[in-house]
Structure formats: structure tokens, C-alpha cells
Amino acid sequence: MMKIAITSASGQLGAAIVEASVKLVGGDNVIGLARTPEKASSLGIEVRPGDYNSPVDLENSLQGIDHLLLVSGMDAPEKRIEQHRNVIEAAKSAGVSKIVYTSIQGAEEETAFTPVVQSNRQTETDVRDSGLDWAIGRNGIYIEPDVDYIDQYKQRGEVANCAGDGKCGYTTRSELAYAYARMLTESKHDGQTYNLHGEAITQQQLTNYLNETFGTDLKYRSMSVEEYRDDRTAELGEFMGNIIAGIYEGIRNGAVDNPSHFAQAAGREHLDWKTYFDQLKR
């Protein structure tokens, strides 16, 4: 049985992929990597050191691993390219045969989110050029933050952003995990780059789902990119405010309204949004 390793196992996406992978190959064959291993102790699997800035630890932790899932880092774009290269080089030195990378969808030019997208595209190139078998997923936008933000939406009485009428290919961490576990363990995905998301919906449709689920009467208000950037920067600070505004500007411009390859990756259709929101009803 192959041994697979998943980086950032203490994070939400990494932990979800660990859980989905254990269901496929069993806990003895799944290794978690984490910058602080004790933070992933609740996963019930072996967790090894996995700091992207520590090539020696990475190489040691990847000994005996066949396939590796590389979760995209959260550092600034200029830092994460080198960090990802540390993981790729460590995998090659340790004898890993396949890398699966969690990339993203988004505007590749002219938004504040573009540098993040471009850094992911560079890592995609590095993975393809690694000489190893590979598969790449380009994640859609997580829908969970909108659900988690419902109390703030209630206080404001609205969902307001700069996405306008643009459609967004949303997804969930659990759906991504289901797909990535299969991309890790099935050779038919080798050499493929997949867009991983469900049905693309507008902000008005999202608002309608939130209203139906939480019994609210939220309105959707479209803001200019500049207005929304100022709003997000005031609440989240300049770095994150600009990033969030850039994501929604990309939605406005159609950058995350792409063909979905989720069914090819997962072997089934993505969960539909009515079913997802019905499961959340209180």
C-alpha cells in the first residue's frame, strides 16, 4: 500500500484532506506534515515536522513517502514560491514519486489578488517541471466564510461587495478534500490540471441561499472596487483588505467563472448548493 503525506495538516484544508485520505487508504498509510506537529495531534495519524522554510526537516519527514499533497502556503507571494520549491526539492531528494498541488483560480492580471495567483502559477510550473508525476487542482472560492460571516451580515442587513453580477465558482473544503484524496491515490489524474468548484453563482443567488437558510432578509448591494477595498482595509488591515478586494474584483471580471472539472477529479458531481445550504438549516 502506498504511503501518502499531506502538508499543512494542522490547517483546515489539510486536515480535511487527511480525513478523506484516511477513508481511502487507512490511517497507517497517511502521514501529516505540520510546522507545529502538536497542533495536528487530534487527527489520529503520525504527524511529522513540515515547516516550508526548513528543507532539512522536510526531507527527513518525507522519507518513505510515495505521494505528497502540497497545500499552498499562506505567506506573502514572493516568499511562498521559494517555500514551495523547498518542498518540491525535498520530495525529490526523499524519493517521492508524485506531487499533488492545491492551486487557486483567480484573476491573473490587474487586481490586488493577482500576485497571489501568479505565485501559484509559478509553483504549478515548478511542479510540472519537477520530473515527478503530478496533478494540480485549482480551487474555487471557499463558500464557508460567507456562512461563518452570517452574524456580521445580519448586523449590516446586507451582503455588500464589488463582485457585481459576476458568477463565482464556489466550493467547500470537504468537497475539495474528497477530490484531492482521489487525485493523490489514483494514477488516472497524473498530468492533469483541474478546476475544482461547484455551480457558479452570483452574489444575489448567494444572498438568497443565506436568507433561505438563516431566515434573514439580507439585500445584496454592489459596491465599486475602490469602495469595497476601503471597507475591507478598514476592518482587516491593508494587506488582507487588498487581497479580499482583489478576489471580489476577480469575480466581477469573470476570473472565477470557469469550466469545472470536479467530476473528473472526484468521480462524482460536486455537491449542489441547495443541498449544501439545506444541511445548514437550524
Side-chain angles (χ1 to χ4, degrees):
M1 179 69 73
M2 74 179 69
K3 283 264 190 186
I4 63 177
I6 295 148
T7 71
S8 297
S10 59
Q12 290 177 294
L13 179 59
I17 298 171
V18 166
E19 182 179 348
S21 299
V22 166
K23 290 178 181 177
L24 285 184
V25 299
D28 291 342
N29 297 303
V30 179
I31 305 296
L33 269 62
R35 183 170 56 186
T36 308
E38 52 267 29
K39 289 185 177 180
S41 60
S42 63
L43 294 175
I45 60 166
E46 180 184 351
V47 183
R48 301 173 182 174
D51 188 331
Y52 291 179
N53 292 305
S54 181
V56 173
D57 283 345
L58 288 167
E59 185 175 344
N60 289 336
S61 293
L62 290 173
Q63 297 298 319
I65 299 301
D66 299 301
H67 295 178
L68 171 66
L69 189 291
L70 170 55
V71 175
S72 183
M74 296 296 291
D75 238 319
E78 63 273 15
K79 292 183 179 180
R80 52 173 98 175
I81 291 173
E82 290 305 318
Q83 291 172 338
H84 295 161
R85 285 174 176 166
N86 288 342
V87 179
I88 294 167
E89 290 305 312
K92 292 165 66 175
S93 297
V96 172
S97 62
K98 176 177 174 176
I99 295 181
V100 178
Y101 176 53
T102 72
S103 189
I104 53 174
Q105 299 175 49
E108 298 185 11
E109 54 186 26
E110 297 183 348
T111 78
F113 190 53
T114 293
V116 177
V117 177
Q118 290 176 340
S119 72
N120 277 262
R121 295 292 176 267
Q122 181 58 58
T123 296
E124 290 181 18
T125 298
D126 293 342
V127 167
R128 294 187 186 103
D129 292 344
S130 67
L132 306 180
D133 291 333
W134 58 269
I136 293 167
R138 290 180 174 175
N139 298 350
I141 304 297
Y142 295 154
I143 207 165
E144 291 99 333
D146 282 287
V147 173
D148 295 340
Y149 206 70
I150 189 63
D151 288 337
Q152 287 88 336
Y153 287 148
K154 286 179 181 179
Q155 290 174 8
R156 295 182 175 207
E158 63 179 10
V159 175
N161 56 52
C162 65
D165 294 329
K167 286 190 173 183
C168 179
Y170 283 106
T171 188
T172 72
R173 293 184 185 92
S174 61
E175 287 294 89
L176 289 174
Y178 188 93
Y180 278 120
R182 280 146 186 82
M183 292 167 66
L184 263 174
T185 56
E186 298 171 354
S187 62
K188 66 182 179 180
H189 306 295
D190 293 0
Q192 299 298 314
T193 300
Y194 295 136
N195 294 330
L196 300 177
H197 62 268
E199 178 192 5
I201 58 175
T202 65
Q203 296 301 295
Q204 183 60 63
Q205 289 174 296
L206 173 62
T207 303
N208 293 343
Y209 279 124
L210 291 171
N211 285 335
E212 292 168 9
T213 302
F214 297 105
T216 50
D217 188 26
L218 304 172
K219 310 298 182 187
Y220 174 64
R221 177 168 64 90
S222 180
M223 306 170 72
S224 71
V225 175
E226 294 74 18
E227 286 176 318
Y228 189 57
R229 183 182 297 118
D230 291 344
D231 177 85
R232 292 296 81 203
T233 299
E235 181 172 331
L236 302 172
E238 186 172 355
F239 178 74
M240 280 307 300
N242 276 309
I243 291 291
I244 298 299
I247 291 172
Y248 280 87
E249 184 179 2
I251 298 173
R252 182 190 194 99
N253 297 337
V256 283
D257 182 14
N258 301 307
S260 175
H261 311 118
F262 185 88
Q264 292 167 249
R268 64 161 173 78
E269 294 296 328
H270 193 285
L271 186 70
D272 69 88
W273 296 122
K274 183 180 186 307
T275 300
Y276 171 78
F277 281 100
D278 280 349
Q279 292 172 353
L280 298 179
K281 287 182 179 177
R282 296 170 180 174

